[in-house]
Amino acid sequence: MSIGHTLLALLESGPRHGYDLKRAFDERFGQDRPLHYGQVYSTMSRLLKNGLVEVDAIEAGGGPERKRYAITDAGVTDVSQWLTRPEKPEPYLQSALYTKVVLALLTGRDAADLLVTQRAEHLRLMRTLTERKRHGDLADQLICDHALFHLEADLRWLELTTKRLDQLAAAVTA
């Protein structure tokens, strides 16, 4: 996810302080990985330097001055271009799980046991996400569905690899 573009898009509804941007981001997208304040302010500094935002106001308070940021026309254009550009599909060709299976086979360890253990972990996470989905709002349901579909694909791979484990062992130890 492009944090810069996300913050820019959040500014389209009107000027905001860094604190407000963090809160809006966390409410919509940060359930599992909230932004750190430092990340917000370093991103805003970069966007300011690149002319995509401007300081709309500076307010004095009990602590440091608070800057309120506003998106510029260049920022709106940048967000529009980003939103219309398709994301590159990620094919996961360098899987840590595949690497572990091959290394288990190469070192004489039980790769079948590794696959069984991994399958159990995937199923545990799927149960957790399914429960979260039951109690979540629409956004949370969609995020959980996305994760569940990826986990289902992983399970299919685990099953296929289990069936082909003898072939893979012969190939990697040849």
Side-chain angles (χ1 to χ4, degrees):
M1 173 189 308
S2 170
I3 293 169
H5 286 111
T6 304
L7 295 177
L8 279 174
L10 290 171
L11 281 173
E12 283 199 58
S13 64
R16 298 181 190 211
H17 297 97
Y19 173 83
D20 297 326
L21 285 168
K22 179 199 174 347
R23 192 178 61 221
F25 180 96
D26 288 352
E27 286 174 3
R28 296 276 187 212
F29 313 107
Q31 295 90 346
D32 296 315
R33 295 180 73 193
L35 280 181
H36 296 286
Y37 284 106
Q39 200 172 7
V40 172
Y41 292 110
S42 64
T43 301
M44 295 312 294
S45 178
R46 183 177 41 81
L47 295 173
L48 184 64
K49 179 181 166 193
N50 293 336
L52 302 176
V53 298
E54 61 190 10
V55 175
D56 182 60
I58 298 178
E59 300 169 1
E65 292 180 333
R66 292 178 30 151
K67 293 179 184 174
R68 188 172 67 193
Y69 298 96
I71 191 168
T72 63
D73 290 341
V76 171
T77 299
D78 197 57
V79 169
S80 294
Q81 291 172 349
W82 175 69
L83 287 173
T84 59
R85 190 172 43 245
E87 288 295 312
K88 180 182 176 195
E90 300 196 22
Y92 303 108
L93 294 176
Q94 293 297 321
S95 165
L97 184 54
Y98 172 77
T99 301
K100 284 184 169 186
V101 171
V102 169
L103 290 175
L105 292 169
L106 286 173
T107 60
R109 290 180 172 88
D110 189 351
D113 188 49
L114 184 153
L115 292 167
V116 167
T117 301
Q118 190 63 51
R119 182 178 186 280
E121 183 61 17
H122 270 63
L123 291 172
R124 183 200 62 75
L125 181 55
M126 290 176 82
R127 284 189 297 273
T128 300
L129 289 170
T130 300
E131 186 63 23
R132 176 177 164 182
K133 184 177 149 181
R134 269 191 211 118
H135 301 291
D137 61 9
L138 179 59
D140 213 32
Q141 291 170 15
L142 290 170
I143 289 168
C144 289
D145 280 338
H146 188 263
L148 286 164
F149 293 148
H150 281 275
L151 289 168
E152 286 174 5
D154 286 351
L155 281 176
R156 287 195 315 266
W157 182 85
L158 288 166
E159 290 170 16
L160 179 67
T161 303
T162 299
K163 289 177 185 173
R164 293 181 175 174
L165 202 52
D166 290 338
Q167 288 176 274
L168 182 59
V172 300
T173 56

